[in-house]
Amino acid sequence: MKYDTRETGARIRDMRTKLGLTQEQMAEELNVSPKHIGNIETGTRSASIDLLVDIALMLDVSLDYLILGREPGAEATKQKIREAIDLLMELEDSL
């Protein structure tokens, strides 16, 4: 898995629009220019880690989701599913 500025930008844009925020509103809140937000959202420029932290807090998402696209708790959920499958297979074998 690698950091992709375009994918990160797309996630930021999607979350921003879901919250009903314009690029101008987001930029003002984060003390950057609307053009900088636009460049981040298109993947033309990368945001600093400090700005990514502020964006994640503003959008109420984890950095893991913002940067890598990992859904919250995805790994824990996958592990629980594996465990449930193992238990079901053991139950099937015992029948």
Coordinates of all heavy atoms in Angstrom, one line a residue:
M1 N 0.9 -1.2 0.0 CA 0.0 0.0 0.0 C 0.9 1.2 0.0 O 1.9 1.3 0.7 CB -0.9 0.0 1.2 CG -2.0 1.0 1.2 SD -3.2 0.8 2.4 CE -4.1 -0.6 1.8
K2 N 0.5 2.2 -0.8 CA 1.4 3.4 -0.9 C 0.5 4.6 -0.9 O -0.7 4.6 -1.2 CB 2.2 3.2 -2.2 CG 2.3 4.4 -3.1 CD 3.1 4.0 -4.3 CE 2.9 5.2 -5.2 NZ 3.6 5.2 -6.4
Y3 N 1.1 5.7 -0.5 CA 0.4 7.0 -0.4 C 0.2 7.5 -1.8 O 1.1 7.7 -2.5 CB 1.2 8.0 0.5 CG 0.7 9.4 0.5 CD1 -0.6 9.6 1.0 CD2 1.5 10.5 0.2 CE1 -1.1 10.9 1.0 CE2 1.0 11.7 0.2 CZ -0.3 12.0 0.7 OH -0.8 13.2 0.7
D4 N -1.1 7.8 -2.1 CA -1.5 8.3 -3.4 C -2.2 9.6 -3.2 O -3.3 9.7 -2.6 CB -2.4 7.3 -4.1 CG -2.8 7.7 -5.5 OD1 -3.0 8.9 -5.8 OD2 -2.8 6.8 -6.4
T5 N -1.5 10.7 -3.7 CA -2.1 12.0 -3.4 C -3.4 12.2 -4.1 O -4.3 12.9 -3.5 CB -1.1 13.1 -3.9 OG1 -0.8 12.9 -5.3 CG2 0.2 13.1 -3.1
R6 N -3.7 11.6 -5.2 CA -5.0 11.7 -5.9 C -6.1 11.1 -5.1 O -7.2 11.6 -5.0 CB -4.9 11.1 -7.3 CG -4.1 12.0 -8.2 CD -4.2 11.4 -9.6 NE -3.1 12.1 -10.4 CZ -2.5 11.5 -11.4 NH1 -2.8 10.3 -11.8 NH2 -1.5 12.1 -12.1
E7 N -5.8 9.9 -4.6 CA -6.8 9.2 -3.8 C -7.1 9.9 -2.5 O -8.3 10.0 -2.1 CB -6.4 7.7 -3.6 CG -6.4 6.9 -4.8 CD -6.0 5.4 -4.6 OE1 -5.9 5.0 -3.4 OE2 -5.7 4.7 -5.5
T8 N -6.1 10.4 -1.9 CA -6.2 11.1 -0.7 C -7.1 12.4 -0.9 O -8.0 12.7 -0.2 CB -4.9 11.5 0.0 OG1 -4.2 10.3 0.3 CG2 -5.0 12.4 1.2
G9 N -6.7 13.1 -2.0 CA -7.5 14.3 -2.4 C -8.9 14.0 -2.7 O -9.8 14.8 -2.3
A10 N -9.2 12.9 -3.3 CA -10.6 12.5 -3.6 C -11.3 12.2 -2.3 O -12.5 12.6 -2.2 CB -10.6 11.3 -4.5
R11 N -10.7 11.6 -1.4 CA -11.4 11.3 -0.1 C -11.7 12.6 0.6 O -12.8 12.8 1.2 CB -10.5 10.4 0.8 CG -10.6 8.9 0.4 CD -9.9 8.0 1.4 NE -8.5 8.1 1.3 CZ -7.7 7.4 0.4 NH1 -8.3 6.6 -0.5 NH2 -6.4 7.5 0.4
I12 N -10.7 13.5 0.6 CA -10.9 14.8 1.2 C -12.1 15.6 0.6 O -13.0 16.1 1.2 CB -9.6 15.7 1.2 CG1 -8.6 15.1 2.1 CG2 -9.9 17.1 1.6 CD1 -7.2 15.7 1.9
R13 N -12.1 15.6 -0.8 CA -13.2 16.2 -1.5 C -14.6 15.6 -1.2 O -15.5 16.3 -0.9 CB -12.9 16.2 -3.0 CG -14.0 16.9 -3.8 CD -13.8 16.8 -5.3 NE -13.7 15.4 -5.8 CZ -12.6 14.8 -6.2 NH1 -11.4 15.5 -6.3 NH2 -12.6 13.5 -6.6
D14 N -14.6 14.3 -1.2 CA -15.9 13.6 -0.9 C -16.4 13.9 0.5 O -17.6 14.2 0.7 CB -15.7 12.0 -1.0 CG -15.5 11.6 -2.5 OD1 -15.8 12.4 -3.4 OD2 -15.0 10.5 -2.7
M15 N -15.5 13.8 1.5 CA -15.9 14.1 2.9 C -16.3 15.6 3.0 O -17.3 15.9 3.7 CB -14.8 13.8 3.8 CG -14.4 12.3 3.9 SD -15.7 11.3 4.5 CE -16.0 11.9 6.1
R16 N -15.6 16.5 2.4 CA -15.9 17.9 2.5 C -17.3 18.2 1.9 O -18.1 18.9 2.5 CB -14.8 18.7 1.7 CG -15.2 20.2 1.6 CD -14.2 21.0 0.8 NE -14.0 20.6 -0.6 CZ -14.9 20.8 -1.5 NH1 -16.0 21.5 -1.3 NH2 -14.7 20.4 -2.8
T17 N -17.5 17.6 0.7 CA -18.9 17.9 0.1 C -20.0 17.2 0.9 O -21.1 17.8 0.9 CB -18.9 17.4 -1.4 OG1 -18.5 16.0 -1.5 CG2 -17.9 18.2 -2.2
K18 N -19.7 16.1 1.5 CA -20.7 15.4 2.3 C -21.1 16.3 3.5 O -22.2 16.3 4.0 CB -20.3 14.0 2.8 CG -20.4 13.0 1.8 CD -19.9 11.6 2.3 CE -19.9 10.6 1.1 NZ -19.3 9.3 1.6
L19 N -20.1 17.0 4.0 CA -20.4 18.0 5.1 C -21.0 19.3 4.6 O -21.3 20.2 5.4 CB -19.1 18.2 5.9 CG -18.6 17.0 6.7 CD1 -17.2 17.3 7.3 CD2 -19.6 16.6 7.7
G20 N -21.1 19.5 3.3 CA -21.7 20.7 2.8 C -20.7 21.9 2.8 O -21.2 23.0 2.8
L21 N -19.4 21.6 2.9 CA -18.4 22.7 2.9 C -17.9 23.0 1.5 O -17.7 22.1 0.7 CB -17.3 22.3 3.8 CG -17.5 22.1 5.3 CD1 -16.3 21.4 6.0 CD2 -17.9 23.4 6.0
T22 N -17.7 24.3 1.3 CA -17.0 24.7 0.1 C -15.5 24.7 0.3 O -15.0 24.6 1.5 CB -17.4 26.1 -0.3 OG1 -16.9 27.0 0.7 CG2 -18.9 26.3 -0.5
Q23 N -14.7 24.7 -0.8 CA -13.3 24.8 -0.6 C -12.9 26.1 0.1 O -12.0 26.1 0.9 CB -12.6 24.8 -2.0 CG -12.6 23.4 -2.7 CD -11.9 23.4 -4.0 OE1 -11.6 24.5 -4.6 NE2 -11.6 22.2 -4.5
E24 N -13.6 27.1 -0.1 CA -13.3 28.4 0.5 C -13.6 28.3 2.0 O -12.7 28.8 2.8 CB -14.2 29.5 -0.1 CG -13.9 29.9 -1.5 CD -14.4 28.9 -2.5 OE1 -15.2 28.1 -2.2 OE2 -13.9 29.0 -3.7
Q25 N -14.6 27.7 2.4 CA -14.9 27.5 3.9 C -13.9 26.7 4.5 O -13.4 27.0 5.6 CB -16.3 26.9 4.1 CG -17.4 27.8 3.7 CD -18.8 27.1 3.7 OE1 -18.8 25.9 3.2 NE2 -19.8 27.7 4.1
M26 N -13.5 25.6 3.9 CA -12.5 24.7 4.4 C -11.1 25.4 4.5 O -10.5 25.4 5.6 CB -12.3 23.4 3.6 CG -11.3 22.5 4.1 SD -11.2 21.0 3.1 CE -11.5 19.8 4.3
A27 N -10.8 26.1 3.5 CA -9.5 26.9 3.5 C -9.5 27.9 4.6 O -8.4 28.1 5.3 CB -9.3 27.6 2.1
E28 N -10.6 28.6 4.8 CA -10.6 29.7 5.8 C -10.4 29.0 7.2 O -9.6 29.5 8.0 CB -11.9 30.4 5.8 CG -12.0 31.6 6.7 CD -13.3 32.4 6.6 OE1 -13.8 32.5 5.5 OE2 -13.7 32.9 7.6
E29 N -11.1 27.9 7.4 CA -11.0 27.2 8.7 C -9.5 26.7 9.0 O -9.1 26.7 10.1 CB -12.0 26.1 8.7 CG -12.0 25.3 10.0 CD -12.7 26.1 11.2 OE1 -13.5 26.9 10.9 OE2 -12.4 25.8 12.3
L30 N -8.9 26.3 7.9 CA -7.5 25.7 8.0 C -6.4 26.8 7.8 O -5.2 26.4 7.8 CB -7.4 24.6 7.0 CG -8.3 23.4 7.2 CD1 -8.3 22.5 6.0 CD2 -8.0 22.7 8.5
N31 N -6.8 28.0 7.5 CA -5.8 29.1 7.3 C -4.9 28.8 6.1 O -3.6 29.0 6.2 CB -4.9 29.3 8.6 CG -5.7 30.0 9.6 OD1 -6.6 30.9 9.3 ND2 -5.5 29.7 10.9
V32 N -5.5 28.3 5.0 CA -4.7 28.1 3.8 C -5.6 28.7 2.7 O -6.7 29.1 2.9 CB -4.4 26.6 3.5 CG1 -3.5 26.0 4.5 CG2 -5.7 25.8 3.3
S33 N -5.0 28.8 1.5 CA -5.8 29.4 0.4 C -6.8 28.3 -0.2 O -6.5 27.1 -0.2 CB -4.9 29.9 -0.7 OG -4.3 28.8 -1.4
P34 N -7.9 28.8 -0.8 CA -8.8 27.8 -1.5 C -8.0 27.1 -2.6 O -8.3 25.9 -2.9 CB -9.9 28.7 -2.1 CG -9.9 29.9 -1.1 CD -8.4 30.1 -0.8
K35 N -7.1 27.8 -3.3 CA -6.3 27.2 -4.4 C -5.5 26.0 -3.8 O -5.4 24.9 -4.5 CB -5.4 28.2 -5.0 CG -4.6 27.6 -6.2 CD -3.7 28.6 -6.9 CE -3.0 28.0 -8.0 NZ -2.2 28.9 -8.8
H36 N -5.0 26.1 -2.6 CA -4.2 25.0 -2.0 C -5.1 23.8 -1.7 O -4.7 22.7 -2.0 CB -3.5 25.5 -0.7 CG -2.5 24.6 -0.1 ND1 -1.5 24.0 -0.8 CD2 -2.5 24.0 1.1 CE1 -0.8 23.2 -0.1 NE2 -1.4 23.2 1.1
I37 N -6.3 24.1 -1.2 CA -7.3 23.0 -1.0 C -7.6 22.3 -2.3 O -7.6 21.1 -2.5 CB -8.5 23.5 -0.3 CG1 -8.3 24.1 1.1 CG2 -9.6 22.4 -0.3 CD1 -7.7 23.0 2.1
G38 N -7.8 23.1 -3.4 CA -8.1 22.6 -4.7 C -7.0 21.7 -5.2 O -7.2 20.6 -5.8
N39 N -5.7 22.2 -5.0 CA -4.6 21.4 -5.5 C -4.4 20.1 -4.7 O -4.1 19.1 -5.2 CB -3.3 22.2 -5.3 CG -3.2 23.3 -6.4 OD1 -3.7 23.2 -7.4 ND2 -2.4 24.3 -6.0
I40 N -4.8 20.1 -3.4 CA -4.7 18.9 -2.6 C -5.8 17.9 -3.1 O -5.5 16.7 -3.2 CB -4.9 19.2 -1.1 CG1 -3.7 20.0 -0.6 CG2 -5.1 18.0 -0.3 CD1 -3.9 20.6 0.8
E41 N -7.0 18.5 -3.3 CA -8.1 17.6 -3.7 C -7.9 17.0 -5.1 O -8.4 15.9 -5.3 CB -9.4 18.4 -3.7 CG -9.9 18.7 -2.3 CD -11.2 19.4 -2.2 OE1 -11.8 19.7 -3.3 OE2 -11.7 19.5 -1.1
T42 N -7.1 17.6 -6.0 CA -6.9 17.0 -7.3 C -5.6 16.2 -7.3 O -5.3 15.5 -8.2 CB -6.7 18.1 -8.4 OG1 -5.6 19.0 -8.0 CG2 -8.0 18.9 -8.6
G43 N -4.9 16.2 -6.2 CA -3.6 15.4 -6.1 C -2.5 16.1 -6.7 O -1.4 15.5 -6.8
T44 N -2.6 17.4 -7.1 CA -1.5 18.1 -7.7 C -0.5 18.4 -6.7 O 0.7 18.4 -7.0 CB -2.1 19.5 -8.3 OG1 -3.1 19.2 -9.2 CG2 -1.0 20.2 -9.1
R45 N -0.9 18.7 -5.5 CA 0.0 18.9 -4.4 C -0.3 18.0 -3.2 O -1.5 17.7 -3.0 CB -0.1 20.4 -3.9 CG 0.4 21.3 -5.0 CD 1.0 22.6 -4.5 NE 1.8 22.3 -3.4 CZ 2.5 23.3 -2.8 NH1 2.4 24.5 -3.2 NH2 3.2 23.1 -1.7
S46 N 0.7 17.7 -2.4 CA 0.5 17.0 -1.2 C 0.4 17.9 0.0 O 0.9 19.0 -0.1 CB 1.6 16.0 -1.0 OG 1.5 15.3 0.2
A47 N -0.4 17.6 1.0 CA -0.5 18.4 2.2 C 0.6 18.0 3.2 O 1.0 16.8 3.2 CB -1.9 18.2 2.8
S48 N 1.0 18.9 4.0 CA 1.9 18.6 5.0 C 1.2 17.7 6.1 O 0.0 17.6 6.1 CB 2.4 19.8 5.7 OG 1.3 20.4 6.5
I49 N 2.0 17.0 6.9 CA 1.4 16.1 7.9 C 0.5 16.9 8.8 O -0.5 16.5 9.3 CB 2.4 15.2 8.6 CG1 1.7 14.2 9.5 CG2 3.4 16.1 9.4 CD1 1.0 13.1 8.7
D50 N 1.0 18.1 9.2 CA 0.3 19.0 10.1 C -1.1 19.4 9.5 O -2.1 19.3 10.2 CB 1.0 20.3 10.4 CG 2.3 20.1 11.2 OD1 2.3 19.1 12.0 OD2 3.2 20.9 11.1
L51 N -1.1 19.7 8.2 CA -2.4 20.0 7.5 C -3.3 18.8 7.4 O -4.5 18.9 7.6 CB -2.1 20.7 6.2 CG -3.3 21.2 5.4 CD1 -4.1 22.1 6.2 CD2 -2.9 21.8 4.1
L52 N -2.7 17.7 7.1 CA -3.5 16.4 7.1 C -4.2 16.1 8.4 O -5.3 15.7 8.5 CB -2.7 15.2 6.6 CG -2.3 15.2 5.1 CD1 -1.3 14.1 4.8 CD2 -3.5 15.0 4.3
V53 N -3.4 16.4 9.5 CA -4.0 16.2 10.8 C -5.2 17.1 11.0 O -6.2 16.7 11.5 CB -2.9 16.4 11.9 CG1 -3.6 16.4 13.3 CG2 -1.9 15.2 11.9
D54 N -5.0 18.4 10.7 CA -6.1 19.4 10.8 C -7.3 19.0 10.0 O -8.4 19.1 10.4 CB -5.6 20.8 10.5 CG -4.6 21.3 11.5 OD1 -4.6 20.8 12.7 OD2 -3.9 22.3 11.2
I55 N -7.0 18.5 8.7 CA -8.1 18.1 7.8 C -8.9 16.9 8.4 O -10.1 16.9 8.4 CB -7.6 17.8 6.4 CG1 -7.1 19.1 5.7 CG2 -8.6 17.1 5.6 CD1 -6.4 18.9 4.4
A56 N -8.1 15.9 8.9 CA -8.7 14.8 9.5 C -9.6 15.1 10.7 O -10.7 14.6 10.8 CB -7.7 13.8 9.9
L57 N -9.1 16.0 11.5 CA -9.9 16.5 12.7 C -11.2 17.2 12.2 O -12.3 17.0 12.7 CB -9.1 17.4 13.6 CG -8.0 16.7 14.4 CD1 -7.1 17.7 15.1 CD2 -8.6 15.7 15.4
M58 N -11.0 18.1 11.2 CA -12.1 18.9 10.7 C -13.2 18.0 10.1 O -14.4 18.2 10.3 CB -11.6 19.9 9.6 CG -12.7 20.7 9.1 SD -11.9 21.8 7.8 CE -13.2 23.0 7.7
L59 N -12.8 16.9 9.4 CA -13.7 16.0 8.7 C -14.1 14.9 9.6 O -15.0 14.1 9.2 CB -13.1 15.5 7.4 CG -12.7 16.5 6.4 CD1 -12.0 15.8 5.2 CD2 -13.9 17.3 5.9
D60 N -13.6 14.8 10.8 CA -13.9 13.7 11.8 C -13.6 12.3 11.2 O -14.5 11.5 11.3 CB -15.3 13.9 12.3 CG -15.6 13.1 13.5 OD1 -14.6 12.8 14.3 OD2 -16.7 12.6 13.7
V61 N -12.4 12.2 10.6 CA -12.0 10.9 10.1 C -10.6 10.6 10.6 O -9.9 11.5 11.1 CB -12.0 10.8 8.6 CG1 -13.4 11.0 8.0 CG2 -11.1 11.8 7.9
S62 N -10.2 9.4 10.6 CA -8.8 9.0 11.0 C -7.8 9.4 9.9 O -8.1 9.4 8.7 CB -8.7 7.6 11.4 OG -8.8 6.8 10.2
L63 N -6.6 9.6 10.3 CA -5.5 9.8 9.3 C -5.3 8.5 8.5 O -5.0 8.6 7.3 CB -4.2 10.1 10.0 CG -3.9 11.5 10.3 CD1 -2.7 11.7 11.1 CD2 -3.9 12.4 9.1
D64 N -5.5 7.4 9.1 CA -5.4 6.1 8.4 C -6.4 6.1 7.2 O -6.1 5.6 6.1 CB -5.7 4.9 9.4 CG -5.1 3.6 8.9 OD1 -4.1 3.6 8.2 OD2 -5.7 2.6 9.3
Y65 N -7.6 6.5 7.4 CA -8.6 6.6 6.4 C -8.2 7.6 5.3 O -8.2 7.4 4.1 CB -10.0 6.9 6.9 CG -11.0 7.1 5.8 CD1 -11.4 6.1 5.0 CD2 -11.4 8.4 5.5 CE1 -12.3 6.3 3.9 CE2 -12.3 8.6 4.4 CZ -12.7 7.6 3.6 OH -13.5 7.8 2.6
L66 N -7.9 8.8 5.8 CA -7.6 9.9 4.9 C -6.4 9.6 4.0 O -6.5 9.8 2.8 CB -7.3 11.2 5.8 CG -7.4 12.5 5.1 CD1 -8.8 12.8 4.6 CD2 -6.9 13.6 6.1
I67 N -5.4 9.1 4.5 CA -4.1 8.8 3.8 C -4.2 7.5 3.0 O -3.8 7.4 1.8 CB -2.9 8.9 4.7 CG1 -2.7 10.3 5.3 CG2 -1.6 8.5 3.9 CD1 -1.7 10.4 6.3
L68 N -4.6 6.4 3.6 CA -4.6 5.1 3.0 C -5.9 4.6 2.6 O -6.0 3.5 1.9 CB -3.9 4.1 4.0 CG -2.5 4.5 4.4 CD1 -2.0 3.5 5.4 CD2 -1.5 4.5 3.2
G69 N -7.0 5.2 3.0 CA -8.3 4.7 2.6 C -8.8 3.6 3.5 O -9.8 2.9 3.1
R70 N -8.1 3.3 4.5 CA -8.6 2.2 5.4 C -9.7 2.6 6.2 O -9.7 3.6 6.9 CB -7.4 1.7 6.3 CG -6.3 1.0 5.6 CD -5.3 0.5 6.7 NE -4.2 0.0 6.0 CZ -3.0 -0.2 6.6 NH1 -2.8 0.2 7.8 NH2 -2.0 -0.7 5.9
E71 N -10.8 1.8 6.1 CA -12.0 2.1 6.9 C -11.7 1.9 8.4 O -11.0 0.9 8.7 CB -13.2 1.2 6.4 CG -13.6 1.5 5.0 CD -14.3 2.9 4.9 OE1 -14.8 3.4 5.9 OE2 -14.3 3.4 3.8
P72 N -12.3 2.6 9.3 CA -12.1 2.4 10.7 C -12.5 1.0 11.1 O -13.6 0.6 10.8 CB -13.0 3.5 11.4 CG -13.4 4.4 10.3 CD -13.2 3.7 9.0
G73 N -11.6 0.4 11.8 CA -11.9 -1.0 12.3 C -12.0 -2.1 11.3 O -12.4 -3.2 11.6
A74 N -11.6 -1.8 10.1 CA -11.6 -2.8 9.1 C -10.9 -4.1 9.4 O -11.3 -5.2 9.2 CB -11.2 -2.3 7.7
E75 N -9.7 -3.9 9.9 CA -8.8 -5.1 10.3 C -9.5 -5.9 11.4 O -9.5 -7.1 11.4 CB -7.4 -4.7 10.6 CG -6.6 -4.2 9.4 CD -6.5 -5.3 8.3 OE1 -6.3 -6.5 8.6 OE2 -6.8 -4.9 7.2
A76 N -10.0 -5.2 12.4 CA -10.6 -5.9 13.5 C -11.9 -6.7 13.0 O -12.1 -7.8 13.4 CB -11.0 -4.9 14.6
T77 N -12.6 -6.1 12.1 CA -13.8 -6.7 11.6 C -13.4 -8.0 10.8 O -14.0 -9.0 10.9 CB -14.6 -5.8 10.7 OG1 -15.0 -4.6 11.5 CG2 -15.8 -6.4 10.1
K78 N -12.4 -7.9 10.0 CA -11.9 -9.0 9.2 C -11.5 -10.1 10.1 O -11.7 -11.3 9.8 CB -10.7 -8.6 8.3 CG -11.1 -7.8 7.1 CD -9.8 -7.4 6.3 CE -10.1 -6.4 5.2 NZ -8.9 -6.0 4.5
Q79 N -10.8 -9.8 11.2 CA -10.3 -10.8 12.1 C -11.5 -11.6 12.7 O -11.5 -12.8 12.9 CB -9.4 -10.2 13.2 CG -8.9 -11.3 14.2 CD -8.1 -12.4 13.5 OE1 -7.4 -12.1 12.5 NE2 -8.2 -13.6 14.0
K80 N -12.5 -10.8 13.1 CA -13.7 -11.4 13.7 C -14.4 -12.3 12.7 O -14.9 -13.4 13.1 CB -14.7 -10.3 14.2 CG -14.2 -9.7 15.5 CD -15.2 -8.6 15.9 CE -14.6 -7.9 17.2 NZ -15.5 -6.8 17.6
I81 N -14.5 -11.9 11.5 CA -15.1 -12.7 10.4 C -14.3 -14.0 10.2 O -14.9 -15.1 10.1 CB -15.2 -12.0 9.1 CG1 -16.2 -10.9 9.2 CG2 -15.5 -12.9 7.9 CD1 -16.3 -9.9 8.0
R82 N -13.0 -14.0 10.2 CA -12.1 -15.2 10.1 C -12.4 -16.1 11.3 O -12.5 -17.3 11.1 CB -10.7 -14.8 10.1 CG -10.2 -14.2 8.7 CD -8.7 -14.0 8.7 NE -8.4 -13.0 7.8 CZ -8.0 -11.7 8.1 NH1 -7.8 -11.4 9.3 NH2 -7.8 -10.8 7.2
E83 N -12.5 -15.6 12.5 CA -12.8 -16.4 13.7 C -14.1 -17.0 13.6 O -14.3 -18.2 13.9 CB -12.7 -15.5 14.9 CG -11.2 -15.1 15.2 CD -11.2 -14.1 16.4 OE1 -12.2 -13.7 17.0 OE2 -10.0 -13.6 16.6
A84 N -15.1 -16.3 13.1 CA -16.5 -16.9 13.0 C -16.5 -18.0 11.9 O -17.1 -19.0 12.1 CB -17.5 -15.8 12.6
I85 N -15.8 -17.8 10.8 CA -15.7 -18.8 9.8 C -15.0 -20.1 10.4 O -15.5 -21.2 10.1 CB -14.9 -18.3 8.6 CG1 -15.8 -17.3 7.8 CG2 -14.5 -19.5 7.6 CD1 -15.1 -16.5 6.7
D86 N -14.0 -19.9 11.1 CA -13.3 -21.0 11.7 C -14.2 -21.8 12.7 O -14.3 -23.0 12.6 CB -12.0 -20.6 12.5 CG -10.9 -20.1 11.6 OD1 -10.9 -20.4 10.4 OD2 -10.0 -19.4 12.1
L87 N -15.0 -21.1 13.5 CA -15.9 -21.7 14.4 C -17.0 -22.5 13.6 O -17.4 -23.6 14.0 CB -16.6 -20.7 15.3 CG -15.7 -20.1 16.4 CD1 -16.4 -19.0 17.1 CD2 -15.3 -21.2 17.4
L88 N -17.5 -21.9 12.5 CA -18.5 -22.5 11.7 C -18.0 -23.8 11.1 O -18.7 -24.8 11.0 CB -19.1 -21.6 10.7 CG -20.0 -20.5 11.2 CD1 -20.3 -19.4 10.1 CD2 -21.3 -21.0 11.8
M89 N -16.7 -23.8 10.6 CA -16.1 -24.9 10.0 C -15.9 -26.0 11.1 O -16.2 -27.2 10.7 CB -14.8 -24.6 9.3 CG -15.0 -23.7 8.1 SD -13.5 -23.2 7.3 CE -13.2 -24.7 6.4
E90 N -15.5 -25.7 12.3 CA -15.4 -26.7 13.3 C -16.8 -27.3 13.6 O -16.9 -28.5 13.8 CB -14.8 -26.0 14.6 CG -13.4 -25.7 14.5 CD -12.9 -25.0 15.7 OE1 -13.5 -25.1 16.8 OE2 -11.8 -24.3 15.6
L91 N -17.8 -26.5 13.7 CA -19.1 -26.9 13.9 C -19.6 -27.9 12.8 O -20.2 -29.0 13.1 CB -20.1 -25.8 14.1 CG -21.6 -26.1 14.3 CD1 -21.7 -26.9 15.6 CD2 -22.4 -24.9 14.3
E92 N -19.3 -27.5 11.6 CA -19.7 -28.4 10.5 C -19.0 -29.7 10.6 O -19.6 -30.8 10.3 CB -19.4 -27.7 9.2 CG -19.7 -28.5 7.9 CD -19.3 -27.9 6.6 OE1 -18.1 -27.4 6.6 OE2 -20.1 -27.8 5.7
D93 N -17.7 -29.7 10.9 CA -16.9 -30.9 11.0 C -17.5 -31.8 12.1 O -17.4 -33.1 12.0 CB -15.5 -30.6 11.3 CG -14.8 -30.0 10.0 OD1 -15.3 -30.2 8.9 OD2 -13.7 -29.4 10.2
S94 N -18.0 -31.2 13.2 CA -18.5 -32.0 14.3 C -19.9 -32.7 14.0 O -20.3 -33.5 14.8 CB -18.6 -31.2 15.6 OG -19.6 -30.2 15.5
L95 N -20.5 -32.3 13.0 CA -21.9 -32.8 12.7 C -21.8 -34.1 12.0 O -21.1 -34.5 11.2 CB -22.7 -31.8 11.8 CG -23.0 -30.5 12.6 CD1 -23.8 -29.5 11.6 CD2 -23.9 -30.7 13.8

